[in-house]
Amino acid sequence: MKKYLSFLILLICDIFVISLCIALSVLIKNFIYGGGAFHDASRYIGLFLVQAIMIFLFIFQGVYTRRYDFWHESYIIVRSCFLGLFLSLAILALIKINYEYSRMVFILSFIFMMFLLPISKVILKRQLFAVGIWQKRAKVIGENTDFELEIFTNRYLGYVKETGGGYESLFITNEKLKPEILNELIEQNIIANKEILFAPMLQTYDFTKAHIYGFFNSRTNIFAIQNSLKSRSRMVMKRCLDIVFIVFALPILVPIFLVIMAMIKIKEPNGKIFFSHERMGRNGRLFGCLKFRSMRENSSQILQEYLKANPQENEYFEKYHKYEHDPRITKFGNFIRKTSLDELPQLINVLKGEMSLVGPRPCAQYEKKDMGKYADLILAVRPGITGIWQVSGRSDVDFETRAQMDAWYMKNWSIWNDIVIIIKTFKVVLARKGAS
């Protein structure tokens, strides 16, 4: 009963939000060209073309029947909006009424949908979970504690832990299960009409980007994996994303740059504004990675004296490649580090083609040995101002875990992953969580 009720509620909510987006678009169109605020809104909403196309695309992609992660479902929504816009304009042209409707309204409607549909789903699913409608009993077989924690704490997914046999969904993440035991376990749950979800044994690849082929006669599935970041067209696309983002952000960035530069000069009039440290770029090529100076001018002497008095800091540095309490950092320097504002000059490195907005963090030469087997993968691409390890734990993760995350990013790159990392970076920076 809850399954059908949640389906119906989510469906009605989407129709309402889509209609709201159309009404807002008509409002903007009328504001620009004149006329009553919502003049013609009922004509656009009553056409019901956009609502029908979007709901069809959502049903076809399992939005109402499968429990996707927020970011994966948002990707489906954004992709559906682009396809929905194309289909809407094509149908209007086909039935020869395209001149009766404003293209601006349709374009704006789909832009609003890209933002309002994901937001509305977050709010609604949390409320439905709170009243029990969105809850689904699930059991996990495996030893992946991080995965289990995500499954049962993410209200967007809506799973609640069931230790007995009353579960509706079964997650299998145990890599030690033998194929025959796994097959028997799946068959038993198929007979019991349970939903079965199992993670592939190979955890270092994102199979949502893979193409799956089926060979019917041999009853075999093939997963086609390709590193898209090594594709020339994708590298050009990534470079364009960097440039476009910086250009659009310039009106905000320039005043911030000027304020930080003025504050550094006020605090230490004779000190330098920028600090350049040598880092490895693409293919190990060395470059000067820029930052706003956050340390005192005589930092080397201060550090030597501090380490003599606090030798335990050397052990901390070996693991995390930073000091737990760094005496060289100024009060204002601590602020710009906590807010990651000290890294803004790296946008200059991006414009010069030495870095990218998103990518593995630039490493010093002495850190290459600590990358181990991941070194070739990490150094195959431009380093980034932000990356997956920063938004997954920032500097709270050790260097080995960070290298694993950077290697995962390189192997599973996509434009969407970059967009998600940039959005999550703003959240991490505003929370001032774990930055250094």
Side-chain angles (χ1 to χ4, degrees), residues 197-248:
L197 305 101
F198 61 92
M201 292 179 64
L202 200 59
Q203 294 288 324
T204 56
Y205 288 94
D206 181 3
F207 287 100
T208 61
K209 306 296 187 299
H211 294 281
I212 305 175
Y213 303 89
F215 293 92
F216 184 81
N217 290 338
S218 62
R219 300 170 302 282
T220 307
N221 293 327
I222 300 294
F223 291 77
I225 301 172
Q226 182 181 2
N227 186 283
S228 54
L229 194 50
K230 296 300 289 182
S231 161
R232 183 174 295 275
S233 61
R234 297 298 176 90
M235 290 176 73
V236 171
M237 193 185 302
K238 182 174 173 62
R239 180 68 179 151
C240 289
L241 177 67
D242 290 343
I243 302 300
V244 169
F245 181 88
I246 293 173
V247 169
F248 276 97

Side-chain angles (χ1 to χ4, degrees), residues 6-158:
S6 61
F7 175 95
L8 186 61
I9 294 172
L10 289 169
L11 181 71
I12 293 172
C13 178
D14 282 349
I15 293 173
F16 172 78
V17 172
I18 294 168
S19 300
L20 176 64
C21 291
I22 296 171
L24 289 173
S25 301
V26 171
L27 177 65
I28 292 173
K29 190 260 296 183
N30 290 337
F31 177 78
I32 294 172
Y33 293 108
F38 290 101
H39 173 69
D40 259 3
S42 59
R43 189 165 67 92
Y44 282 90
I45 295 171
L47 183 63
F48 211 76
L49 175 65
V50 175
Q51 295 93 321
I53 288 173
M54 291 302 293
I55 296 302
F56 170 78
L57 291 173
F58 287 167
I59 292 174
F60 180 76
Q61 295 175 95
V63 169
Y64 302 114
T65 53
R66 300 190 185 107
R67 301 198 172 207
Y68 295 119
D69 169 75
F70 169 77
W71 294 108
H72 187 80
E73 188 158 273
S74 297
Y75 170 72
I76 292 174
I77 291 169
V78 171
R79 186 177 60 184
S80 298
C81 285
F82 280 107
L83 182 57
L85 175 61
F86 171 77
L87 290 174
S88 298
L89 296 178
I91 292 172
L92 288 176
L94 190 65
I95 59 179
K96 299 180 180 180
I97 60 169
N98 51 315
Y99 293 110
E100 298 177 21
Y101 294 90
S102 169
R103 291 183 183 87
M104 175 189 286
V105 170
F106 282 91
I107 293 170
L108 287 175
S109 296
F110 284 99
I111 291 173
F112 281 131
M113 277 183 252
M114 290 180 192
F115 296 96
L116 295 184
L117 281 170
I119 293 170
S120 67
K121 285 181 179 294
V122 168
I123 297 170
L124 182 60
K125 285 184 178 181
R126 286 180 178 176
Q127 295 302 315
L128 292 178
F129 182 88
V131 297
I133 296 175
W134 187 240
Q135 293 182 12
K136 192 174 186 179
R137 298 186 306 277
K139 184 177 181 179
V140 176
I141 298 176
E143 300 172 353
N144 191 333
T145 53
D146 290 337
F147 175 76
E148 189 168 346
L149 182 67
E150 172 66 15
I151 288 296
F152 296 123
T153 58
N154 189 337
R155 293 189 174 185
Y156 195 84
L157 295 173

Side-chain angles (χ1 to χ4, degrees), residues 3 167-169 187-196:
K3 176 182 176 182
Y167 57 88
E168 301 168 79
S169 300
E187 287 179 352
Q188 289 173 357
N189 283 275
I190 286 176
I191 294 170
N193 197 29
K194 308 282 189 182
E195 180 188 32
I196 303 157

Side-chain angles (χ1 to χ4, degrees), residues 277-289 291 320-321 346 354-355 359-372 374-375 377-379 381-385 389-390 398-400 402-404 406-407:
H277 47 154
E278 198 173 67
R279 289 292 185 264
M280 292 184 295
R282 187 180 174 192
N283 299 322
R285 191 180 297 112
L286 297 176
F287 72 97
C289 186
K291 281 190 175 185
Y320 295 102
H321 289 226
Q346 289 171 19
E354 297 166 336
M355 293 180 67
R361 282 298 286 149
C363 296
Q365 276 187 298
Y366 72 86
E367 294 177 309
K368 186 175 181 179
K369 65 181 188 323
D370 296 321
M371 293 181 188
Y374 304 112
L377 282 170
I378 293 172
L379 296 176
V381 296
R382 290 188 184 95
I385 297 176
W389 76 273
Q390 289 97 321
D398 58 55
F399 191 81
E400 183 182 355
R402 163 185 152 179
Q404 291 173 357
D406 283 340

Side-chain angles (χ1 to χ4, degrees), residues 35 137 147 166 173 194 206 234 255 281 290 308 311 323 335 400 416 420:
R137 298 186 306 277
F147 175 76
T173 63
K194 308 282 189 182
D206 181 3
R234 297 298 176 90
L290 297 172
K308 285 180 183 178
Y323 297 105
F335 168 75
E400 183 182 355
W416 179 251
V420 171

